Amino acid sequence: MSSTADRPNPAFATAICSEEACPDNPYNARQRRLHGYDVADLWRQVGFVDALLLLFTGELPGPSQKRMLEVLMVGLMNPGPRHGAVRAAMLAGVSKSAPEHLLPLGLLTGSGSRGGALEVAASHDYLSAHLAEDPLVRARDCLLGDPAPGFGTCHGGPEPIWQQLGADMVAAWPDSPVMAWCDTFAATLMRGGQSWRAPGLVAAAGLALGLGPRESLGLYQLLIAPGVVVQGMEQTHRPISSNPLLPDAHYELTSP
């Protein structure tokens, strides 16, 4: 008789994934299913975006849902070196941090409330709370001093690339009520010098796809991860002396 230590631990309860164990080794799986779909069938018959949306939503997407996420994925795959997560990974890379630490370091640094993953969740909650309202009225209230998370200005003004990305996401899924509301909302904000920001784009997409705020936050981290890791790794090939330092006159020394 084998002891309990010889047996595999019970699997965590999950509605997402099920596995069929090998007859001769219960620790190995001979079949894995995601929301009922055999993973082997998925890799043979559908693309990455289809499988990703299946994993997040439990359903294979329609053409519009798929195209909208493809547009968002390309638009956010590298948010640029001014983004906090990318910048942190770049600085860690040139400072000779361990390469395997660059991605988690960047994502953790980029989770802050302003412009980061936490703002995605806040924007999702905001949109959920106001979708029943007139987007024109809601936008005017924002311009009068009631800011909307995920929208507003970047470095003092609306960033054109986010406006263009938002418009193309709406064009990819024109019959989505959420995306249509956000399109009108962002266009009205634009008249006052505000518009989409990256967290708002992901929050709107997540809400349109039926994701919750936590799942939308996670989607945001996943989407920016390629730029974080690649730009961080690029810096690991450069000498530490290439890291820009401020002249001494810009430092202020204080006594402890």
Side-chain angles (χ1 to χ4, degrees):
M1 179 180 295
S2 62
S3 67
T4 56
D6 297 327
R7 304 186 198 126
N9 291 325
F12 288 106
T14 173
I16 297 171
C17 180
S18 63
E19 294 181 336
E20 182 180 337
C22 295
D24 58 341
N25 187 344
Y27 291 95
N28 288 336
R30 68 176 180 181
Q31 184 185 60
R32 181 173 296 115
R33 292 181 176 272
L34 298 181
H35 292 291
Y37 289 87
D38 190 325
V39 174
D41 290 338
L42 292 173
W43 76 57
R44 291 169 184 152
Q45 299 178 32
V46 305
F48 176 79
V49 176
D50 298 273
L52 180 66
L53 278 170
L54 171 67
L55 184 61
F56 268 88
T57 69
E59 300 287 344
L60 286 171
S64 296
Q65 295 169 302
K66 178 181 177 180
R67 181 58 190 152
M68 187 269 289
L69 184 58
E70 287 175 337
V71 170
L72 179 61
M73 290 178 73
V74 176
L76 277 185
M77 69 184 302
N78 184 14
R82 288 180 292 110
H83 190 281
V86 177
R87 190 69 172 176
M90 292 175 70
L91 290 172
V94 78
S95 301
K96 307 310 175 189
S97 295
E100 66 272 20
H101 295 165
L102 299 184
L103 178 58
L105 187 154
L107 291 179
L108 284 171
T109 305
S111 294
S113 57
R114 172 67 178 178
L118 291 178
E119 189 177 3
V120 175
S123 182
H124 187 289
D125 288 340
Y126 180 92
L127 294 174
S128 298
H130 296 292
L131 274 179
E133 302 176 19
D134 185 332
L136 297 172
V137 175
R138 174 47 43 186
R140 289 170 191 152
D141 289 345
C142 291
L143 293 173
L144 291 174
D146 183 18
F151 298 82
T153 60
C154 300
H155 306 286
E159 188 157 9
I161 192 169
W162 300 139
Q163 299 172 54
Q164 183 178 354
L165 180 56
D168 286 347
M169 288 169 60
V170 173
W173 194 2
D175 56 349
S176 165
V178 173
M179 298 308 299
W181 191 97
C182 291
D183 186 42
T184 302
F185 179 69
T188 307
L189 287 177
M190 187 61 194
R191 297 170 196 158
Q194 301 183 29
S195 190
W196 291 99
R197 293 176 44 251
L201 292 165
V202 181
L207 188 59
L209 291 166
L211 305 184
R214 298 175 187 174
E215 290 75 18
S216 298
L217 178 157
L219 178 64
Y220 176 80
Q221 292 181 309
L222 179 65
L223 296 187
I224 68 171
V228 173
V229 69
V230 171
Q231 293 216 206
M233 291 298 180
E234 176 193 37
Q235 300 299 313
T236 65
H237 300 283
R238 297 181 176 178
I240 195 170
S241 58
S242 67
N243 193 14
L245 298 175
L246 295 173
D248 290 347
H250 289 261
Y251 291 91
E252 180 179 349
L253 300 178
T254 58
S255 57

